[in-house]
Amino acid sequence: MIYGYCRVSTKHQRITRQVTNITELYPEATIIKEFYTGTTQNRPLWDKLVKQLATGDTIVFDSVSRMSRNAEEGFKDYKTLYESGINLIFINEPLINSSIFDSTKNNLLEISVQTGNSAVDDYFKGNITLINNLLMSLAEEQIKSAFLQSEKEVTDLHTRISQGMRESKKKGNKIGLEKGTTLITDKSVKCKEIIKKHAQDFGGTLSDKEVMILCKVSRNSYYKYKRELKVQNN
C-alpha cells in the first residue's frame, strides 16, 4: 500500500497543495489528512496509520516538516518505521528518502582479507568496520539534519512574526481590527486590515508568508485581497 500523509497545524490552513503534490506523483496513494496543533505530537490519524502499516508499505510526504516539526521525534519515527520495513518518501527532500539509506547500506564495504597473519587480518577487518560505521553515521546525520533544519525554519518563522508585531506596535499599529470596525465579511475585512498594517508592500515589516499566517486564509485569497487593496490605493 502507498499512503500520502498530509498535515496542517490548524483547520484554517489549506491542505490542498500537499494533496496535489503527492497525488501528481503517486495517483494511487491513499491520502491521510491530519489537522492538529503544531505544538503537540497528538496526531490520532498518524498513530492509526502507523499501527496498520505492513512491511513493504510506503508513506509519501510533501516535505519532512509534514512528518514532524520536532527533530528528535521525527528522527525517532523515521528510524522506527525504516527498521519495520516501511518505505519513506519526501518529495521536497529526496536525499533522505529511505531508498537512499538503503543504498548506503547496500554499498558498504565487504572485503575479506586473509594474509595468513591473524593480527594483520584483524587490523584490516577492524578498519573496514570503522569505515562502514562512518558511512552509516553520515547517512543518519543527513536525515537528522533535515529534521533539525525543518524545526529551525518553524522556530525562525515564529520569531520573525513576533519581532514584526513588536515593530508594528512601536509604530503605533495594532494587530487586527480597530475596535468598532463594521465587518462586511469576517474573512476579507480582517485580512485586509492586517495586510495594510503589516505587509511590506504597505510599509509593514512582515513578508507575505508571515502575513498570510496572521490572516489565516489561503494563498489565493490572500493575494486577491492584496490586489484589491492596491487598486483602492491607486
Side-chain angles (χ1 to χ4, degrees), residues 37-54:
T37 302
T39 56
T40 73
Q41 283 294 103
N42 182 23
R43 299 172 291 172
L45 296 183
W46 170 257
D47 294 338
K48 181 179 178 181
L49 171 62
V50 170
K51 289 179 182 178
Q52 70 185 42
L53 291 171

Side-chain angles (χ1 to χ4, degrees), residues 69-72 146-156:
R69 287 183 176 179
N70 179 284
E72 183 178 351
F147 282 105
L148 285 169
Q149 180 61 30
S150 175
E151 182 177 340
K152 181 178 183 299
E153 287 175 357
V154 172
T155 301
D156 288 349

Side-chain angles (χ1 to χ4, degrees), residues 22-188:
I22 292 174
T23 54
E24 281 182 349
L25 295 175
Y26 301 91
E28 72 279 25
T30 299
I31 301 298
I32 310 296
K33 300 178 182 179
E34 185 95 81
F35 298 88
Y36 91 112
T37 302
T39 56
T40 73
Q41 283 294 103
N42 182 23
R43 299 172 291 172
L45 296 183
W46 170 257
D47 294 338
K48 181 179 178 181
L49 171 62
V50 170
K51 289 179 182 178
Q52 70 185 42
L53 291 171
T55 300
D57 283 349
T58 297
I59 310 178
V60 184
F61 304 87
D62 180 48
S63 68
V64 67
S65 63
R66 299 307 92 194
M67 183 174 181
S68 176
R69 287 183 176 179
N70 179 284
E72 183 178 351
E73 290 292 333
F75 182 69
K76 180 181 177 181
D77 287 348
Y78 186 108
K79 287 272 288 183
T80 299
L81 291 169
Y82 176 79
E83 291 170 357
S84 299
I86 307 303
N87 303 311
L88 303 171
I89 297 174
F90 303 89
I91 295 175
N92 290 321
E93 298 92 2
L95 290 179
I96 67 164
N97 288 351
S98 58
S99 60
I100 302 298
F101 200 51
D102 268 336
S103 178
T104 300
K105 289 183 67 176
N106 293 335
N107 286 300
L108 294 178
L109 297 176
E110 294 183 4
I111 301 174
S112 177
V113 179
Q114 294 180 343
T115 65
N117 185 313
S118 60
V120 174
D121 292 348
D122 289 343
Y123 171 78
F124 279 108
K125 183 178 179 180
N127 280 318
I128 291 169
T129 300
L130 286 174
I131 292 171
N132 286 337
N133 288 341
L134 175 61
L135 290 173
M136 290 307 300
S137 294
L138 290 174
E140 288 193 359
E141 283 303 315
Q142 183 168 277
I143 296 168
K144 288 180 182 177
S145 294
F147 282 105
L148 285 169
Q149 180 61 30
S150 175
E151 182 177 340
K152 181 178 183 299
E153 287 175 357
V154 172
T155 301
D156 288 349
L157 177 60
H158 290 164
T159 299
R160 290 197 301 271
I161 290 176
S162 297
Q163 290 174 342
M165 292 170 67
R166 287 197 295 270
E167 288 298 321
S168 293
K169 288 180 179 179
K170 287 180 181 178
K171 295 180 180 180
N173 295 327
K174 295 181 179 179
I175 306 298
L177 297 174
E178 295 290 341
K179 186 176 180 180
T181 300
T182 301
L183 296 179
I184 297 174
T185 65
D186 184 53
K187 181 171 69 173
S188 64

Side-chain angles (χ1 to χ4, degrees), residues 196-211:
K196 286 190 293 184
K197 292 178 180 179
H198 302 292
Q200 292 174 353
D201 287 356
F202 295 89
T205 59
L206 301 182
S207 67
D208 285 334
K209 183 177 180 180
E210 292 163 344
V211 180

